Amino acid sequence: MRESSQGVTVVTLLADPDAPTQIAQHVARVLPARLAGTSGQGRRFDVEVVSEPFTAGTEDLSTLTRRIVDRGRAESWDIVVALTDLPLHSHGHKLVVDISHEHGLALLSLPSLGGLRFVRRALRAVEEVVLRLVTPRAAGVEEPLQSLGRFASRLAPIHPGPVDEEETADLRYVVSGPRGYLRVLGGMVRANQPWRLVPGLSKALAAALATGAVATVNSTVWSLSEALSTPRLVIAMVGSVALMIGWLIVDAHLWHRPAETSPDARKRAALYNASTVVTVGIGVLVCYAGLMVINIVWALFILNDRVFASMARTPLHATEYWTLSWFVASIATVGGALGSGLESDEAIRAAAYSKREQERRRMLDPGSTVGGHAAVADLGADLR
């Protein structure tokens, strides 16, 4: 690691656009004070954020670290910590962090931090990595990262991973095992920010609300809601939600098909698809819950107990309001699935890692639009 001539260590957080940049900006606000208080010796730190798609077109660790090294040399940064929302792999394991003491760089794969306390874990991981890089490394001594050790547990063990001699990194931490897979999946879903899917379904929600409003005042729906048992209502709910999820994935072309046929490519595709299904599923469930609340309010406002009792042959009590709103929410969700065909695909595609990676690939596509050519030129200049 280079030493700053002015007594200030410049730490640059090189972040992919979107969620990694947001996390980097949060970390940059609090990291200097934490580093100064932890490192001691009167050391000062200057933390800056650079947002650019440094993972464009590749998931190869050697290529990524070479890009980071070249970028750091061009800007004379003391320490570079790169943050990406891509789930990176190494020797069959899922990468947590790559560290190179010689070049003063680290590459942190945010999904490996899991889905809970995401920002806090990212802050602690970046802090520990920077402290590791500013501390001279004793030859042959490999101390565990303390913060990563606190994140690790019997449920998702983080441990040192193998590093080839020709690689830039000299220290690597990975996560493995089925529970490690779930940890990375949770981190991918968290990085996807599934709540952003709800505003993107405005046309589908409009269709669902219109369907629900009509169904709530339909006497046939009243009778059906009273006749259906709880298991059948559950089946109707599960079926409507599954239909909505499936339709969104198919209609927006979210299912990722690997270009390669290798086992690693298939595993990566399965991870991408699992995160897409969970992300879209969370968004649809939030919509379903919102429909139920709106249906209850609408039913309380519009229904007349005498008319309902005469048509459904049962008095209108709290249970009837709940059952009717539940059933109507399932009907409305099916209507929303049909209305989702009017949606712009971009908001829905933002839920999928594979689509964001395809957008990064377009920036390097020489046959894209003029804007794509400019992006390629800018990125090429940055990486030289």
Side-chain angles (χ1 to χ4, degrees), residues 306-362:
R306 294 182 180 178
V307 175
F308 185 92
S310 64
M311 293 293 183
R313 302 188 183 281
T314 183
L316 184 59
H317 298 309
T319 302
E320 283 67 37
Y321 277 113
W322 169 259
T323 303
L324 176 63
S325 300
W326 187 5
F327 183 50
V328 168
S330 300
I331 298 174
T333 300
V334 175
L338 299 177
S340 65
L342 303 174
E343 296 284 1
S344 168
D345 290 346
E346 293 185 3
I348 305 173
R349 288 176 180 176
Y353 269 95
S354 57
K355 290 300 176 182
R356 288 214 294 267
E357 172 61 12
Q358 288 182 21
E359 291 174 2
R360 294 185 179 111
R361 290 173 187 268
R362 291 193 199 104

Side-chain angles (χ1 to χ4, degrees), residues 83-138:
L83 307 178
T84 180
D85 54 0
L86 287 178
L88 301 176
H89 298 75
S90 172
H91 299 279
H93 300 292
K94 295 166 184 64
L95 178 74
V96 178
V97 63
D98 257 3
I99 299 174
S100 173
H101 292 81
E102 177 184 357
H103 298 93
L105 70 84
L107 172 60
L108 179 63
S109 178
L110 293 173
S112 63
L113 300 180
L116 300 177
R117 301 187 300 277
F118 193 65
V119 177
R120 182 185 303 177
R121 287 181 170 184
L123 171 61
R124 291 168 59 188
V126 172
E127 178 185 5
E128 184 66 27
V129 165
V130 173
L131 292 175
R132 172 61 64 90
L133 290 173
V134 299
T135 303
R137 187 189 187 199

Side-chain angles (χ1 to χ4, degrees), residues 110-185:
L110 293 173
S112 63
L113 300 180
L116 300 177
R117 301 187 300 277
F118 193 65
V119 177
R120 182 185 303 177
R121 287 181 170 184
L123 171 61
R124 291 168 59 188
V126 172
E127 178 185 5
E128 184 66 27
V129 165
V130 173
L131 292 175
R132 172 61 64 90
L133 290 173
V134 299
T135 303
R137 187 189 187 199
V141 177
E142 184 175 287
E143 299 177 359
L145 290 178
Q146 297 300 321
S147 62
L148 292 179
R150 289 194 291 267
F151 302 152
S153 66
R154 290 174 297 177
L155 298 180
I158 294 178
H159 54 85
V163 182
D164 295 335
E165 293 183 359
E166 65 274 9
E167 292 188 81
T168 304
D170 51 45
L171 182 59
R172 171 174 296 152
Y173 284 88
V174 297
V175 63
S176 60
R179 295 183 178 91
Y181 178 92
L182 294 177
R183 180 191 185 97
V184 174
L185 178 61

Side-chain angles (χ1 to χ4, degrees), residues 3-10 43-46 78:
E3 294 292 341
S4 174
S5 59
Q6 300 179 353
V8 178
T9 302
V10 179
R43 193 190 299 266
R44 292 186 298 158
F45 295 87
D46 184 13
D78 296 329

Side-chain angles (χ1 to χ4, degrees), residues 35-55:
L35 289 174
T38 307
S39 63
Q41 302 176 353
R43 193 190 299 266
R44 292 186 298 158
F45 295 87
D46 184 13
V47 180
E48 60 184 40
V49 177
V50 175
S51 177
E52 64 182 41
F54 69 92
T55 58

